[in-house]
């Protein structure tokens, strides 16, 4: 749908990982946007999905739903010309007291015949009393300033909650594991992304270099083979692209050593997920 792409576009930095495969975002990701005398704290969440019952899916849905409480504005992102059953289910979960819900219709760059947009907007307008409807392209950065104005004007007056130059609150360890996860997602087929998790085993920052050891967990032996690739090629490529991105980010040399381990059925194993840092109550 482009939620993470949108938060990155709004913050003008990459704070959340993105991919073509669904269910990429697993945690609540904070982006902080300070502009003149306003500060918006933008939260990216996992997508809301139905019909998956593993602990990991329940965890992700809970993160999405819990985020609906205590916010001033909800930016409800849908894809142009695609109204899914899950969008409808989520619409029904919006707390009644939340009166600022902006509907964002993303990926308008993909709509060849723009005449089709109006009936689509009209259809959605009837389903909920949105405070505003903004068609955008998060990827091509179309109509972003309009959306930005709409968000900022809906915010209540408050002191800044974060320093002006802070853009996110993610820890270095989580950032590193997310970047490695993003690189592995983009290099494997359709099924495996749901089944991988990255754990940082060792992180050491020295004067001139950052040393990282990380494990990519998968659920099956066959998945391990795929992630490693022929002669270790795929794993090497994951490590290299993560290293290049982290070196730019930290402005320092980075050394990454990766392992792939099988943890059977881990996405349904609460205890193991907790040990990986998934906060399940
Ligand atoms: N053409 C086009 N593609 C887009 C746009 N916004 C996002 N995408 C692509 O859509 C895919 C999904 O984007 P994400 O930002 O990861 O989507 P998400 O809603 O965060 O997905 P989950 O975290 O998995 O729930 C990526 O391949 C993006 O590059 C857009 O405006 N136009
Ligand atoms: Mg996302």
């Amino acid at each position: 749908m482009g939620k993470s792409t949108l938060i990155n576009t709004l913050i003008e930095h990459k704070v959340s990982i993105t991919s073509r495969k669904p269910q990429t975002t697993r945690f609540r990701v904070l982006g902080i946007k300070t502009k003149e005398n306003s500060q918006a704290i933008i939260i990216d969440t996992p997508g809301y999905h139905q019909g998956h019952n593993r602990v990991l899916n329940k965890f992700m849905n809970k993160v999405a739903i819990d985020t609906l409480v205590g916010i001033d504005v909800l930016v409800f992102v849908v894809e142009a010309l695609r109204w899914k059953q899950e969008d409808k289910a989520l619409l029904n979960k919006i707390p009644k007291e939340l009166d600022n819900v902006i509907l964002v219709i993303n990926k308008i760059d993909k709509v060849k015949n723009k005449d089709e947009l109006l009936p689509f907007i009209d259809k959605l307008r009837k389903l909920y009393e949105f405070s505003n409807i903004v068609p955008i392209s998060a990827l091509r950065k179309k109509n972003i300033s309009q959306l930005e104005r709409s968000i900022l004007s809906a915010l209540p007056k408050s002191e800044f909650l974060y320093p002006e130059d802070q853009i996110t609150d993610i820890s270095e360890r989580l950032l590193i594991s997310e970047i490695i996860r993003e690189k592995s997602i983009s290099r494997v087929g359709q099924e495996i992304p749901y089944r991988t998790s990255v754990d940082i085993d060792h992180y050491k920052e020295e004067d001139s270099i950052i040393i990282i050891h990380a494990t990519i967990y998968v659920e099956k032996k066959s998945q391990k083979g795929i992630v490693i690739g022929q002669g270790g090629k795929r794993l090497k490529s994951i490590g290299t692209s993560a290293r290049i991105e982290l070196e730019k980010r930290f402005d320092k040399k980075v050394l990454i050593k990766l392992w792939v381990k099988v943890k059977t059925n881990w996405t349904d194993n609460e205890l193991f997920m907790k040990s990986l840092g998934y906060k399940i109550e």
Side-chain angles (χ1 to χ4, degrees):
M1 248 168 309
K3 300 178 292 296
S4 303
T5 308
L6 176 58
I7 196 172
N8 293 340
T9 296
L10 285 167
I11 304 296
E12 295 173 67
H13 283 278
K14 178 166 162 185
V15 293
S16 195
I17 62 166
T18 67
S19 93
R20 292 168 60 175
K21 289 144 200 158
Q23 305 197 28
T24 294
T25 305
R26 287 196 182 147
F27 309 96
R28 205 170 180 266
V29 179
L30 208 78
I32 305 152
K33 183 173 183 71
T34 308
K35 200 169 182 185
E36 290 148 22
N37 52 5
S38 319
Q39 183 170 73
I41 296 149
I42 305 170
I43 304 165
D44 183 24
T45 71
Y48 181 70
H49 292 280
Q50 292 175 306
H52 305 268
N53 278 315
R54 287 165 178 270
V55 174
L56 178 62
N57 302 116
K58 287 185 197 152
F59 166 82
M60 284 161 64
N61 277 348
K62 188 170 184 308
V63 173
I65 299 300
D66 284 355
T67 306
L68 293 171
V69 178
I71 54 173
D72 298 303
V73 185
L74 172 65
V75 178
F76 193 97
V77 183
V78 300
E79 215 170 298
L81 309 186
R82 293 209 178 150
W83 177 249
K84 292 187 250 143
Q85 198 55 37
E86 283 166 340
D87 296 328
K88 198 173 158 202
L90 187 58
L91 203 58
N92 288 326
K93 291 194 179 290
I94 299 176
K96 300 255 172 317
E97 56 280 8
L98 188 63
D99 45 27
N100 251 313
V101 182
I102 301 170
L103 174 67
V104 159
I105 297 172
N106 190 31
K107 304 200 184 179
I108 54 165
D109 57 295
K110 282 173 81 178
V111 180
K112 288 202 183 73
N113 181 2
K114 301 282 187 245
D115 290 344
E116 287 176 336
L117 268 177
L118 267 181
F120 181 72
I121 291 174
D122 259 353
K123 182 173 121 186
L124 300 196
R125 198 197 299 279
K126 290 183 188 121
L127 298 180
Y128 194 90
E129 214 173 302
F130 295 107
S131 50
N132 200 356
I133 299 179
V134 193
I136 65 159
S137 168
L139 192 67
R140 309 266 171 242
K141 304 183 172 50
K142 287 247 161 64
N143 259 353
I144 298 300
S145 54
Q146 193 192 332
L147 173 62
E148 207 178 282
R149 275 198 300 278
S150 187
I151 295 171
L152 292 179
S153 69
L155 297 180
K157 283 210 161 38
S158 157
E159 296 287 310
F160 283 0
L161 298 178
Y162 288 91
E164 280 178 47
D165 55 355
Q166 189 171 341
I167 54 163
T168 184
D169 70 342
I170 191 172
S171 70
E172 260 159 21
R173 281 180 101 96
L174 185 57
L175 169 80
I176 294 164
S177 74
E178 285 289 88
I179 302 275
I180 296 171
R181 195 162 64 83
E182 181 185 64
K183 304 311 175 199
S184 54
I185 289 175
S186 65
R187 282 166 178 74
V188 295
Q190 285 298 327
E191 181 212 350
I192 298 176
Y194 306 117
R195 305 285 190 241
T196 58
S197 195
V198 176
D199 195 33
I200 306 299
D201 307 311
H202 171 83
Y203 170 88
K204 191 159 179 241
E205 182 161 4
E206 294 178 358
D207 286 347
S208 59
I209 194 166
I210 298 172
I211 298 164
I212 298 158
H213 296 180
T215 301
I216 302 174
Y217 285 97
V218 292
E219 288 196 320
K220 289 183 201 160
K221 221 170 157 201
S222 58
Q223 295 168 345
K224 177 173 170 172
I226 294 171
V227 174
I228 293 174
Q230 243 178 22
K233 238 175 156 180
R234 191 169 286 125
L235 191 62
K236 192 164 180 215
S237 152
I238 293 168
T240 304
S241 73
R243 175 179 59 76
I244 291 169
E245 185 163 332
L246 290 168
E247 282 182 340
K248 268 196 212 134
R249 195 106 171 194
F250 295 131
D251 200 16
K252 226 177 200 184
K253 265 186 110 58
V254 171
L255 182 86
I256 302 180
K257 277 190 128 180
L258 294 176
W259 285 264
V260 184
K261 287 186 190 156
V262 179
K263 180 76 192 173
T264 310
N265 226 12
W266 75 261
T267 57
D268 218 10
N269 181 338
E270 208 170 304
L271 214 63
F272 181 71
M273 285 178 61
K274 275 187 183 163
S275 78
L276 287 182
Y278 292 83
K279 291 192 183 70
I280 306 162
E281 276 112 55

